[in-house]
Amino acid sequence: MSLTLPRYIAHRGASAVAPENTLAAFRKAAELGATWVEFDAMLTADAFAVVHHDDDLKRIAGIDRAMDETSFAKLTAINAKLAEPIPSLAETLDLLGTLGLSANIEIKPTPGRTLETAERVLVETAARWRGGEAPLISSFEWEALAVAQRMQPDWPRGLLIDFRDSPDADWRGAAKELGAYSLHLDGPSVTAGLVAEAKALGLKVLVYTVNQPDQARALWAVGVDCIFTDRVAEMAALA
């Protein structure tokens, strides 16, 4: 597996200047010069794949309601009241094809729906993907990456980990077992030694979420391949 990774990926689109994980954020990312975007995919109660990060709608829509208790029809009604709607995975993929954007798709299942979410997202992405290179599929739920390995073995897989939450996680074993392409790390956990070890294992190293130019330069200097950023314009100027 190989990809032409950029120096930075627009985290949930150009989310510093447009609502995250929206079509507006992806359009803005392209306008500012990004060639890749990252976004989260999960399911509604009735198994429609949508682009959204949180388990509930409180932060984005101001409604104290879980996504996995919300039907797609109900979400459509909620979207009608939002300045920027929560998009479906289908319309997101169609837009990326139009804009010529590559993507890191993070499978972000709500609790208890890892297999179902991974399968649905992978099927839908395979049906609608129009990019030149395969999408990079990542997840904190490593079981979802096992599904990706089975269903789309030629698509690169990114092992997501936050060492602050999982300091003892066996990322080395998981990367080998899952045939991972890349290791995706939280910024505070990155050290030159960790980057070197990952690279020695043949893994690309991607780091989230980097919004300060000095931090970006320091990470690139120790061998980090790519960063995720909300601040597309600032990182485009550096890259």
Side-chain angles (χ1 to χ4, degrees), residues 1 21 29 38 53 57 92 94 115 126 129 134 139 158 169 214 221 229 237-238:
M1 282 175 268
N21 278 330
E38 180 268 355
H53 178 273
L57 296 164
T92 298
D94 289 347
L115 294 180
W129 184 252
S139 188
D214 287 349
T229 187
L238 296 180

Side-chain angles (χ1 to χ4, degrees), residues 122-200:
L122 289 161
V123 166
E124 195 157 328
T125 301
R128 305 187 83 96
W129 184 252
R130 299 293 180 268
E133 294 184 302
L136 173 58
I137 306 297
S138 64
S139 188
F140 284 103
E141 302 295 335
W142 297 350
E143 191 177 11
L145 297 181
V147 175
Q149 185 179 32
R150 171 174 56 83
M151 292 182 64
Q152 294 292 342
D154 294 333
W155 287 6
R157 294 172 290 282
L159 194 72
L160 259 164
I161 186 167
D162 188 331
F163 284 111
R164 295 166 296 185
D165 295 333
S166 306
D168 300 319
D170 181 16
W171 64 269
R172 300 166 190 84
K176 181 178 180 180
E177 182 178 345
L178 294 167
Y181 166 81
S182 53
L183 183 66
H184 299 203
L185 302 170
D186 62 290
S189 296
V190 176
T191 64
L194 179 57
V195 172
E197 183 179 3
K199 305 271 278 195

Side-chain angles (χ1 to χ4, degrees), residues 7-214:
R7 298 265 272 174
Y8 69 90
I9 292 174
H11 179 244
R12 305 179 198 168
S15 53
V17 293
E20 66 178 56
N21 278 330
T22 62
L23 301 185
F26 304 138
R27 290 191 187 96
K28 192 64 178 178
E31 178 186 323
L32 293 172
T35 57
W36 279 66
V37 295
E38 180 268 355
F39 61 85
D40 307 284
M42 62 174 53
L43 301 182
T44 60
D46 46 352
F48 278 79
V50 295
V51 174
H52 188 256
H53 178 273
D54 299 354
D55 289 346
D56 60 58
L57 296 164
K58 191 170 185 178
R59 182 171 63 90
I60 297 301
I63 297 171
D64 192 8
R65 185 187 185 101
M67 179 63 84
D68 65 2
E69 295 176 351
T70 304
S71 68
F72 187 69
K74 180 62 177 177
L75 184 63
T76 300
I78 292 168
N79 273 339
K81 301 176 182 179
L82 300 179
E84 292 296 338
I86 296 167
S88 67
L89 176 60
E91 61 188 336
T92 298
L93 293 170
D94 289 347
L95 176 64
L96 300 191
T98 299
L99 295 174
L101 289 172
S102 297
N104 173 191
I105 303 174
E106 181 181 340
I107 298 174
K108 193 85 174 179
T110 53
R113 302 183 76 183
T114 298
L115 294 180
E116 179 188 11
T117 303
E119 289 171 356
R120 183 60 184 258
V121 168
L122 289 161
V123 166
E124 195 157 328
T125 301
R128 305 187 83 96
W129 184 252
R130 299 293 180 268
E133 294 184 302
L136 173 58
I137 306 297
S138 64
S139 188
F140 284 103
E141 302 295 335
W142 297 350
E143 191 177 11
L145 297 181
V147 175
Q149 185 179 32
R150 171 174 56 83
M151 292 182 64
Q152 294 292 342
D154 294 333
W155 287 6
R157 294 172 290 282
L159 194 72
L160 259 164
I161 186 167
D162 188 331
F163 284 111
R164 295 166 296 185
D165 295 333
S166 306
D168 300 319
D170 181 16
W171 64 269
R172 300 166 190 84
K176 181 178 180 180
E177 182 178 345
L178 294 167
Y181 166 81
S182 53
L183 183 66
H184 299 203
L185 302 170
D186 62 290
S189 296
V190 176
T191 64
L194 179 57
V195 172
E197 183 179 3
K199 305 271 278 195
L201 293 173
L203 298 167
K204 299 292 186 182
V205 179
L206 291 77
V207 177
Y208 62 92
T209 304
V210 181
N211 290 324
Q212 299 303 320
D214 287 349

